[in-house]
Amino acid sequence: ELLEILSFDSVRRRMSVIVRAATGEIYLFCKGADSSIFPRVTEGRVDQIRARVERNAVEGLRTLCVAYKSMAPEEYEAACRLLQTAKVALQDREKKLAEAYEQIERDLILLGATAVEDRLQEKAADTIEALQKAGIKVWVLTGDKMETAAATCYACKLFRRNTQLLELTTKRIEEQSLHDVLFELSKTVLRCSGSLTRDNFSGLSADMQDYGLIIDGAALSLIMKPREDGSSSNYRELFLEICRNCSAVLCCRMAPLQKAQIVKLIKFSKEHPITLAIGDGANDVSMILEAHVGIGVIGKEGRQAARNSDYAIPKFKHLKKMLLVHGHFYYIRISELVQYFFYKNVCFIFPQFLYQFFCGFSQQTLYDTAYLTLYNISFTSLPILLYSLMEQHVGIDVLKRDPSLYRDIAKNALLRWRVFTYWTFLGLFDALVFFFGAYFMFENTVVTSGGQMFGNWTFGTLVFTVMVFTVTLKLALDTHYWTWINHFVIWGSLLFYIVFSLLWGGIIWPFLSYQRMYYVFLHMLSSGPAWLGIILLITVSLLPDVLKKVLCRQLWPTATERTQARNQCLSVEQPTVFMLSQTSSGLSF
């Protein structure tokens, strides 16, 4: 008969039940981590079972210890009163329950230990290896024993055979002070930093010793413990410096709140990295909520992690495609989208600003009202929309096969101030070419066969035409993944602009009180110099960007650009294969 349940919590790391046997005897059975059970045991084959637990843990098995004690009726009644008092307490109920559990769960007899195989999901090792090659630093935060967690890290290739493991554990801190251990580890990992630089992202380097750090929950508590004056401990920065120079970090015997502490510590470090937490159980929820991006794995551990995450995946292996393919594409698309919008609107607005110096600041618009309205709505919207949905600068298979391509976009590489400044100056340059190119080419010049000169609206239409073609062709130059949809929206947008301009200026609209654009576009296109000016200005506007792309690809190519060039060479040199087969009617190809 079940009498009482002393529920599990992540601080105690154990759970107990009080039961009454058929004979009337009362027993307390307790199961939990070996670090929680062994200190409360007074009898049993402790040394033999401890050795077996350690051996099982090294083999990668998850272990639990089981102990019991017989309770006299008086002892059981006292325990019930203690539990009841704690349960009905109005203040500090959880604290009083923990104290009651601590008093009841003592003087136990060790029964034995259990060990179950915790198999890795398929392709888990391949996924972690790919993330490290991509420059993503991987930390493992687990509540398992150090030996079990280390065996798992070897199995999933987080640690390699040549990895030198550094321990920051309670056992070592008992032999030396925390201060001495930290400074000794710091000297070890920074020994070669003067002559060689470690990879800032993943910590992997062929020239340097590969280090892996193991820390347990108790040691982390000492590191995170604030000073007596209330300030944060300087051990945190030293600990982070050690972690930066390790290829992988394993945090074992972690409580859920400690997992969140670790994520928060990294998130607010001086580099301010983007953190991602992935877990499959309820004990990972606090970590998932603390990270910038939380991913929950839906599985046998329940759905608590998935419900509290930003993204949910059915298998750990899907993380590889999610980050290295979809994440890569999304970043490329969104960075182009944001900066292209700034660029095309700088091209749009700056000529109007310059025009005010030539119209006496009379607030006269350079473009017609219809052009002002439809520029961002119709003429230039669909190409960038399709780009931000469909662009693939390299193929999916290439990104899966070569995770190191992810490094080209690491640390927000495409949305830095330098890249944004380039787009802004490119927009200003193009705007100057549009305006002053048209101004100086047609100032006081006969531009039609009839001897007529361009007027105000013809000048604005010329500038607008060059601008629409330039910003659209600029996006076409940046597009690597061409489909019939891209062709349709890019060339269709240009065609729509021409057709709209012909209709807008070729028909007298009865609902308009003014007809200032009547025959303006046709008048402009009837001029040979106007055609020459449009082609020349578009060429001059696009030339700096084309030269920059060519020079950078030749002199300082990124890994992605080298891959693109290699793929283009392979597609050009791909031989044609003819298949010959013998049939009853003769040879067929």
Side-chain angles (χ1 to χ4, degrees), residues 260-271:
Q261 273 186 320
I262 286 279
V263 175
K264 187 176 182 180
L265 181 66
I266 299 166
K267 188 166 71 170
F268 292 106
S269 61
K270 62 182 181 182
E271 291 91 355

Side-chain angles (χ1 to χ4, degrees), residues 110-307:
L110 188 60
L111 269 175
T114 64
V116 295
E117 183 182 7
D118 187 20
R119 291 186 298 173
L120 290 173
Q121 289 188 10
E122 58 175 333
K123 297 185 179 179
D126 176 62
T127 301
I128 289 181
E129 189 176 24
L131 295 180
Q132 287 187 319
K133 288 180 180 178
I136 298 173
K137 193 106 173 190
V138 182
W139 291 36
V140 172
L141 314 180
T142 178
D144 292 343
K145 274 176 64 68
M146 186 181 79
E147 294 82 3
T148 305
T152 305
C153 288
Y154 277 114
C156 67
K157 296 183 181 179
L158 185 69
F159 292 156
R160 294 167 177 78
R161 294 304 169 188
N162 62 340
T163 301
Q164 181 179 340
L165 296 184
L166 308 175
E167 293 185 11
L168 182 54
T169 58
T170 311
K171 181 179 179 181
R172 186 170 179 184
I173 292 174
E174 289 174 354
E175 298 172 358
Q176 297 175 271
S177 67
L178 177 62
H179 181 275
D180 294 339
V181 173
L182 284 172
F183 274 91
E184 184 179 331
L185 293 177
S186 178
K187 288 180 182 178
T188 302
V189 299
L190 298 176
R191 188 175 299 152
C192 302
S193 62
S195 57
L196 296 170
T197 56
R198 181 176 292 276
D199 187 328
N200 290 326
F201 298 123
S202 66
L204 299 176
S205 174
D207 302 323
M208 298 188 68
Q209 174 64 49
D210 191 14
Y211 292 108
L213 179 67
I214 300 177
I215 181 173
D216 61 13
L220 179 68
S221 298
L222 294 175
I223 292 172
M224 301 295 291
K225 186 178 180 181
R227 294 178 176 178
E228 294 180 357
D229 58 1
S231 62
S232 60
S233 173
N234 61 346
Y235 291 147
R236 298 184 186 182
E237 283 302 320
L238 190 56
F239 168 67
L240 284 174
E241 188 63 32
I242 295 169
C243 293
R244 287 187 195 103
N245 290 274
C246 293
S247 60
V249 179
L250 167 62
C251 305
C252 54
R253 286 295 185 217
M254 289 282 142
L257 289 179
Q258 286 183 311
K259 294 181 181 182
Q261 273 186 320
I262 286 279
V263 175
K264 187 176 182 180
L265 181 66
I266 299 166
K267 188 166 71 170
F268 292 106
S269 61
K270 62 182 181 182
E271 291 91 355
H272 296 289
I274 302 299
T275 56
L276 179 147
I278 178 168
D280 63 348
N283 57 344
D284 300 316
V285 169
S286 57
M287 171 181 70
I288 288 172
L289 293 175
E290 183 63 47
H292 290 100
V293 182
I295 297 178
V297 180
I298 304 171
K300 295 181 179 180
E301 299 293 331
R303 295 179 177 265
Q304 284 295 326
R307 288 171 181 163

Side-chain angles (χ1 to χ4, degrees), residues 486-511:
N486 295 82
H487 285 289
F488 178 77
V489 298
I490 288 178
W491 314 124
S493 294
L494 296 178
L495 183 62
F496 174 74
Y497 166 69
I498 295 172
V499 172
F500 174 83
S501 298
L502 290 172
L503 292 175
W504 183 245
I507 299 175
I508 296 179
W509 300 97
F511 57 85

Side-chain angles (χ1 to χ4, degrees), residues 352-365 435 439 456:
Q352 294 192 99
F353 168 74
L354 295 174
Y355 185 61
Q356 297 308 306
F357 292 95
F358 294 87
C359 69
F361 299 95
S362 62
Q363 299 184 12
Q364 169 69 37
T365 59
F435 185 82
Y439 180 78
N456 175 57

